Amino acid sequence: MPFIEEGFKEINLKAQMKTKDMIIERLTGKIAGGSLSADGWVKGIFSRKAWGLDLTLKDIEISRLLRDLGPGKPGLEGRFDIEMDVSGVGLSQEDLIFSLAGKGNVNVYEAVLKNINLLEVALDKLDMLPGIVPKLKRRLPTYYKDLLKQDHTAFRPINAKFELREGRLFF
């Protein structure tokens, strides 16, 4: 995966070949500061390469997956865990975009959107009503006034089910 600069590390694979197919009994490794484990299958390993995995990613660092846009630019930090069943055909990016399908659950924690305060952005979008934004900001409870002073947005933990299909991610 070209967007993961350091790639996969400490990969261990236990698999069996059955004619033209492979049964993946156990695949483990390290990626983006966390770990991965999977079992599954690959059909037609020397041709079309249809495959399916029961995949678990634990303690993955979001910042290691996203390109750093530079000082002062927005960026996302935090960690996530994913458990999912996923399948596809082929291994090229083009094949995966249209064939990738699966369902699972994601937990995102310690998430912080750097260099952007979403509360401030949302309030500033109300500027179509003259004088409303300064009035709203003055009347906010202390907690929200303090949030407006921050140069980032911190998120509470997120736990969501998702589905991959038709080249899209649905939550």
Side-chain angles (χ1 to χ4, degrees):
M1 296 180 170
F3 59 91
I4 304 172
E5 292 181 15
E6 63 217 39
F8 295 98
K9 297 179 180 178
E10 300 177 32
I11 298 295
N12 292 300
L13 173 65
K14 182 178 180 185
Q16 292 183 32
M17 290 296 296
K18 303 264 183 169
T19 317
K20 297 177 185 175
D21 303 333
M22 180 170 61
I23 306 299
I24 301 169
E25 294 177 3
R26 193 77 178 147
L27 171 65
T28 61
K30 299 199 178 293
I31 181 172
S35 64
L36 74 92
S37 62
D39 55 52
W41 51 269
V42 180
K43 291 187 180 184
I45 195 163
F46 301 111
S47 58
R48 194 161 181 246
K49 295 181 190 79
W51 55 271
L53 294 173
D54 181 8
L55 176 67
T56 301
L57 300 169
K58 292 279 187 197
D59 207 27
I60 304 299
E61 293 180 34
I62 296 169
S63 62
R64 289 188 176 190
L65 299 178
L66 303 175
R67 186 173 302 147
D68 186 4
L69 299 176
K73 300 285 184 182
L76 187 61
E77 294 179 343
R79 297 179 173 279
F80 69 88
D81 301 333
I82 289 180
E83 291 184 12
M84 69 181 297
D85 291 320
V86 63
S87 62
V89 176
L91 297 175
S92 73
Q93 186 174 354
E94 285 180 23
D95 290 341
L96 289 177
I97 286 174
F98 296 106
S99 73
L100 202 58
K103 291 182 179 182
N105 192 65
V106 62
N107 292 306
V108 181
Y109 48 97
E110 300 172 7
V112 175
L113 184 58
K114 301 182 312 179
N115 301 313
I116 191 165
N117 185 315
L118 291 180
L119 178 59
E120 176 126 29
V121 169
L123 285 174
D124 288 345
K125 293 293 179 189
L126 297 173
D127 65 353
M128 63 202 136
L129 303 170
I132 192 76
V133 174
K135 191 180 283 187
L136 276 173
K137 287 182 179 180
R138 280 194 308 273
R139 292 185 177 182
L140 284 173
T142 304
Y143 173 78
Y144 291 102
K145 285 180 182 177
D146 290 344
L147 285 179
L148 280 174
K149 294 175 187 173
Q150 297 177 357
D151 66 348
H152 65 278
T153 303
F155 295 92
R156 290 187 176 131
I158 299 166
N159 183 345
K161 293 187 182 306
F162 66 90
E163 185 174 350
L164 289 167
R165 60 181 152 83
E166 302 165 6
R168 296 183 184 142
L169 183 60
F170 298 90
F171 286 93

